Amino acid sequence: MIIGVPKEIKESEYRVAITPAGVTMLVAAGHQVVVEKSAGEGSGFPDEDYLREGASIEDSAAAVWAAADMIMKVKEPLPEEYGYFKQNLLLFTYLHLAASPGLTKELVEKQVTAIAYETIQLDNGSLPLLTPMSEVAGRMSVQVGAQFLEAFNGGRGVLLGGVPGVPPAEVVIIGGGIVGVNAARMALGLGANVVVIEKSADRMRALDDMHRGQLRTLMSSPYHIAEAVSKADLVIGAVLIPGAKAPHLVTEDMVKRMRKGTVIVDVAVDQGGSIATVDRPTTHKNPIYVKHDVIHYAVANIPGAVPRTSTFALTNVTMPYVLELANHGMYEVTMSKPLQRGVNTHAGTVMNEQVAAATNMNYISFSNWADSATGNLPQP
């Protein structure tokens, strides 16, 4: 198989979908890897590193997309890339289609097989390809929140950890998943008072156990959320429903009651955002806007700010799946439940129920398609 790795074009996105070590693995398995010129430079990988491991370098994105049977990316394709789509292309990347009906429509019309990192799910419910970026985003959410709490950035002028005789900041984290856990760890490490709002009683018990009573947990409800955010200095939206749009748990009325200079960091913005006033994504170059006197940080690719760390963390978990797809293609998908859950579009249809519901498109389950197609697929 020919695997193509174009350069990311999302603003301030410096990650790359493969490391030179990943090229070594694919070439050793008999595959070809085509990398766009300077695709890895933002993560500290010059073209020479890829050439040394057996990849070829193309000067343009068009040449990479045209040559490839499978495209590896980090972020979802942007409209400038839609023209490269072709029938039977295998696209493997973060997609977040529930918040992107236009991209979903293009993938369906061009009959692209699009497998989303964020919906590959193990039988225990974990999301192995989303986890490392959620870890990075959770930790960074506190880092950037602390930065924008500083007065010259328009914040309340509050130090997260306080000092002797002065109380620390109040940090409210909505969601106790991977993002929430990592945000809590960072905030506690800086000395903040931390509240995690979560809907699962079992998860709250686990968090309490994990942090030995250092943080407080609250059962998710409109009342608890409204009360907590009204007292907060920093609010972190860390809600995830795999494949689906994030629910708006913090309403606009709640934001209006927050104190001037409070900071919101909505990590769920690429899934539509969990804060009602997060009405648009921002970028690393222009990361914030102010609404109702509250600072909103809504960068959709937070881990892109630390591309070297993020690229290593991401490719550590994606490469086993890349090898399986390169070796066996769609036959491997029919054999692997986690990969089946990752398929968002294939053969001109949407195969993720949450994406179909969010984009008002027809849904066909992968298992129904596979029952009729398996016998026609090439054997590995």
Side-chain angles (χ1 to χ4, degrees), residues 33-61:
V33 182
V34 182
V35 179
E36 186 180 352
K37 184 178 180 180
S38 72
E41 285 186 356
S43 294
F45 302 119
D47 293 342
E48 291 75 17
D49 288 358
Y50 292 106
L51 288 168
R52 190 181 305 117
E53 302 307 322
S56 60
I57 301 294
E58 289 286 353
D59 288 335
S60 69

Side-chain angles (χ1 to χ4, degrees), residues 134-213:
S134 295
E135 291 168 339
V136 173
R139 295 178 187 210
M140 284 198 64
S141 66
V142 175
Q143 186 172 307
V144 299
Q147 174 188 347
F148 286 103
L149 271 174
E150 295 171 2
F152 66 83
N153 285 321
R156 298 193 68 235
V158 174
L159 181 66
L160 278 189
V163 293
V166 180
E170 295 289 330
V171 177
V172 174
I173 301 167
I174 302 172
I178 301 298
V179 171
V181 165
N182 281 272
R185 183 175 293 127
M186 286 289 286
L188 288 170
L190 289 170
N193 287 330
V194 178
V195 176
V196 178
I197 299 176
E198 169 59 43
K199 68 177 182 178
S200 165
D202 287 341
R203 187 62 178 163
M204 285 190 287
R205 291 187 188 99
L207 287 165
D208 188 65
D209 239 11
M210 190 185 306
H211 296 288
R212 300 183 179 182

Side-chain angles (χ1 to χ4, degrees), residues 330 333-334 340 343 346 351 363-371:
M330 286 306 296
V333 178
T334 63
Q340 286 180 31
V343 176
H346 176 66
M351 291 189 177
Y363 163 69
I364 297 176
S365 72
F366 187 90
S367 57
N368 285 345
W369 173 84
D371 286 343

Side-chain angles (χ1 to χ4, degrees), residues 319-332:
M319 282 310 300
Y321 293 94
V322 171
L323 277 167
E324 291 299 324
L325 288 168
N327 289 340
H328 306 310
M330 286 306 296
Y331 184 83
E332 177 62 30

Side-chain angles (χ1 to χ4, degrees), residues 66-238:
D69 304 305
M70 174 166 66
I71 287 287
M72 289 178 63
K73 280 179 52 61
V74 177
K75 292 301 292 179
E76 71 282 352
L78 298 182
E80 303 95 294
E81 297 170 298
Y82 294 175
Y84 301 140
F85 294 168
K86 58 190 178 185
Q87 187 175 1
N88 297 325
L89 175 70
L90 180 55
L91 175 63
F92 196 34
T93 187
Y94 288 117
L95 284 168
H96 302 293
L97 293 183
S100 192
L103 174 56
T104 308
K105 183 173 180 287
E106 289 286 338
L107 292 169
V108 167
E109 289 183 351
K110 299 289 178 60
Q111 298 191 40
V112 174
T113 298
I115 301 179
Y117 294 162
E118 74 273 8
T119 61
I120 289 178
Q121 189 170 27
L122 303 183
D123 291 341
N124 65 5
S126 64
L127 303 166
L129 305 195
L130 188 60
T131 294
M133 295 303 93
S134 295
E135 291 168 339
V136 173
R139 295 178 187 210
M140 284 198 64
S141 66
V142 175
Q143 186 172 307
V144 299
Q147 174 188 347
F148 286 103
L149 271 174
E150 295 171 2
F152 66 83
N153 285 321
R156 298 193 68 235
V158 174
L159 181 66
L160 278 189
V163 293
V166 180
E170 295 289 330
V171 177
V172 174
I173 301 167
I174 302 172
I178 301 298
V179 171
V181 165
N182 281 272
R185 183 175 293 127
M186 286 289 286
L188 288 170
L190 289 170
N193 287 330
V194 178
V195 176
V196 178
I197 299 176
E198 169 59 43
K199 68 177 182 178
S200 165
D202 287 341
R203 187 62 178 163
M204 285 190 287
R205 291 187 188 99
L207 287 165
D208 188 65
D209 239 11
M210 190 185 306
H211 296 288
R212 300 183 179 182
Q214 288 180 292
L215 55 71
R216 290 174 291 145
T217 56
L218 286 174
M219 179 61 73
S220 182
S221 72
Y223 176 82
H224 283 151
I225 293 171
E227 184 178 43
V229 301
S230 70
K231 301 172 183 176
D233 298 296
L234 170 60
V235 175
I236 297 171

